[in-house]
Amino acid sequence: MKQPSRPALIALLLAPALAVGACSKDTASYPSLGIRPTESIGFGEPAGKPVVVQPDPTLDTDIAAFRTQLDRIRTGFAKDAASTQAAARAARGGAVGSEPWLTAQTALAGLDDWRAQTSLLVTDIERRATDRAATLAPAYPALDAVRDAAQAEAEKQGTTIAQIQASLPAA
């Protein structure tokens, strides 16, 4: 038997591959790799029309009460903070458990009470805002303003208490 020549052998081996490749056709159309129209749109919120907030007399009454309560707390805390700072100055250099140190600690507890009242006020204001949002009512700027003022006061009180506490000898 005579062996086929090398070019004939190569042709014989490639013939089935070419035949199968010629028979198949890719009919799927693939998308372009270019930027699609939806990819050129930004992710920012679309501009909405401004919402006109209708006056709410009941809410305005509650906001006035919140402001009055915040002013009362702010005044009481400021007065007690001054006397607590004086007690802390008197306790500096003294021993833990001494009479001046105990007096300063007692005064600090009074400041913590004021801070707790402020925290409760913030919670009440936020509950009122949450109840309003649950009805899908728009934000009420006066309510947001009193909430921000109460939160700022709570943070200020926390800072004042921490500063006074740091000036005292640790137990």
Side-chain angles (χ1 to χ4, degrees):
M1 178 158 158
K2 186 176 175 190
Q3 286 196 354
S5 67
R6 189 179 268 269
L9 185 60
I10 292 175
L12 194 61
L13 291 174
L14 288 179
L18 291 174
V20 171
C23 292
S24 68
K25 180 178 180 192
D26 189 5
T27 58
S29 64
Y30 293 99
S32 164
L33 295 178
I35 295 177
R36 295 170 184 85
T38 57
E39 293 172 340
S40 63
I41 297 174
F43 291 105
E45 289 291 324
K49 54 184 176 179
V51 177
V52 177
V53 178
Q54 299 297 323
D56 185 344
T58 304
L59 183 57
D60 288 335
T61 302
D62 291 345
I63 291 170
F66 290 147
R67 287 193 186 283
T68 301
Q69 189 175 359
L70 179 61
D71 289 341
R72 180 188 60 78
I73 292 169
R74 184 181 290 138
T75 302
F77 181 86
K79 183 181 127 223
D80 285 356
S83 63
T84 302
Q85 287 171 338
R89 278 192 299 275
R92 281 193 199 121
V96 172
S98 65
E99 189 64 35
W101 185 84
L102 290 172
T103 301
Q105 291 297 328
T106 303
L108 272 171
L111 292 183
D112 277 333
D113 181 56
W114 286 113
R115 181 173 52 178
Q117 290 180 46
T118 306
S119 178
L120 182 62
L121 178 63
V122 170
T123 301
D124 290 344
I125 295 169
E126 286 179 346
R127 184 177 302 118
R128 189 69 166 93
T130 302
D131 291 345
R132 181 174 171 80
T135 64
L136 301 179
Y140 205 75
L143 185 61
D144 293 343
V146 74
R147 181 191 61 221
D148 293 344
Q151 286 175 336
E153 180 62 23
E155 290 171 9
K156 178 182 163 193
Q157 289 173 356
T159 301
T160 301
I161 291 170
Q163 288 172 344
I164 295 171
Q165 183 68 45
S167 71
L168 292 170

